[in-house]
Amino acid sequence: MRRSMRTVSFLIALGFGLLLAGCSTKAGWQYQPSATSVGTTPVPVTVAVEHFQDQRGTENSRYFWLCAIPLVPYCSASYKRPENANGFLTEAAYNFRPSDDLAQATAAELRQANLFREVFVTDRTADPNAQLSIRGTIINTDWDGTAYTYLVSGYAGLFYILGLPMGNVRGSLSLKLELVDNSNGQVLWTNEITQSYQKTEGLYYNYAEDFGYPEMFRAGITPAIASLQSYVASRPAGSWTYHGEAAPGASQR
């Protein structure tokens, strides 16, 4: 009997040790552009990708502490700005700079697509070194997580060891992209990215996969680049030829 109790205590301690090991780490945004390229002759213009405007909410609510109370079946957290939060399902924090990281990822995808002669990220609005600008607006990067306690509070680690879920996470990403003529501020093209992410996590599956922002962005930017390619291809060749202050959208007026 005493040996069985020691075994149970060991499994509980092991479960909590693994849980705490995950909660002590700090994840971060890591992005690689798509491997595909349009393969066409690039338009002879330079595009500046501006740092994205941030229009997200600011509310971050964390109630994971409720899981320490016996007979509470689950506890949760909800973050509008996950980069400012501490304490997720299996990670302690998330290193993310949305305005910069999303702009850099967009520029990388545009360079990979080979649509334009040159693409760079800028701190300036309507950068004079570029004929066109890509402007992005961040609408949301919501993160929601739920941890399961199975009504046993601190002993939930035993259930995790047995393979039951630790909880689930849900994320969303919403952006608006615009291609702008720098000479007159005319919006030439727009596209909205709306993606979601969900994982059920356990010690043996999907562990430490709290965040899916790179995956969501990649899934959304691929059709956005295809849409931009179609727009570029639909324009008369003269639309992209500059003479002095001529604007790329001049032929539309």
Side-chain angles (χ1 to χ4, degrees):
M1 182 66 177
R2 185 175 300 175
R3 183 176 181 180
S4 298
M5 290 299 295
R6 284 200 301 267
T7 301
V8 171
S9 298
F10 171 77
L11 291 174
I12 293 172
L14 179 60
F16 269 101
L18 291 172
L19 180 61
L20 291 174
C23 290
S24 65
T25 63
K26 185 175 183 178
W29 168 273
Q30 295 182 346
Y31 189 78
Q32 292 293 329
S34 304
T36 58
S37 176
V38 174
T40 59
T41 301
V43 172
V45 297
T46 298
V47 176
V49 180
E50 299 177 5
H51 288 274
F52 285 16
Q53 297 180 4
D54 196 341
Q55 293 186 355
R56 298 175 297 163
T58 59
E59 303 84 5
N60 282 352
S61 302
R62 182 173 183 267
Y63 298 101
F64 282 145
W65 57 270
L66 290 173
C67 281
I69 302 175
L71 302 182
V72 171
Y74 63 87
C75 52
S76 62
S78 180
Y79 304 134
K80 296 292 185 184
R81 301 197 176 206
E83 73 277 12
N84 294 336
N86 289 297
F88 296 85
L89 184 61
T90 57
E91 301 284 1
Y94 189 55
N95 186 9
F96 187 30
R97 300 172 299 168
S99 293
D100 182 49
D101 291 339
L102 294 170
Q104 293 287 351
T106 300
E109 290 288 356
L110 287 173
R111 285 191 288 266
Q112 182 69 24
N114 197 38
L115 282 177
F116 303 102
R117 177 181 61 197
E118 182 182 0
V119 178
F120 64 92
V121 177
T122 180
D123 294 326
R124 308 167 72 176
T125 300
D127 195 306
N129 297 308
Q131 292 84 34
L132 303 174
S133 288
I134 290 286
R135 294 178 183 170
T137 301
I138 308 170
I139 300 170
N140 83 65
T141 57
D142 293 354
W143 187 93
D144 297 281
T146 302
Y148 305 146
T149 66
Y150 300 98
L151 300 173
V152 295
S153 182
Y155 293 95
L158 178 59
F159 290 90
Y160 304 155
I161 286 290
L162 295 175
L164 273 70
M166 299 170 62
N168 68 77
V169 298
R170 300 166 302 283
S172 63
L173 177 68
S174 294
L175 308 172
K176 181 180 180 181
L177 301 176
E178 295 179 337
L179 180 69
V180 181
D181 178 347
N182 283 345
S183 69
N184 57 18
Q186 180 183 2
V187 177
L188 306 175
W189 167 89
T190 64
N191 188 272
E192 292 190 9
I193 293 175
T194 302
Q195 296 289 325
S196 60
Y197 174 88
Q198 183 168 338
K199 289 284 186 179
T200 297
E201 297 187 55
L203 287 179
Y204 314 117
Y205 47 90
N206 301 328
Y207 186 75
E209 295 186 15
D210 284 6
F211 310 105
Y213 297 107
E215 294 89 339
M216 287 188 283
F217 180 80
R218 186 177 292 106
I221 198 65
T222 299
I225 293 291
S227 171
L228 182 57
Q229 179 192 4
S230 296
Y231 170 76
V232 170
S234 71
R235 302 296 303 138
S239 300
W240 310 109
T241 302
Y242 286 82
H243 301 284
E245 297 299 321
S251 61
Q252 293 180 322
R253 296 191 293 273

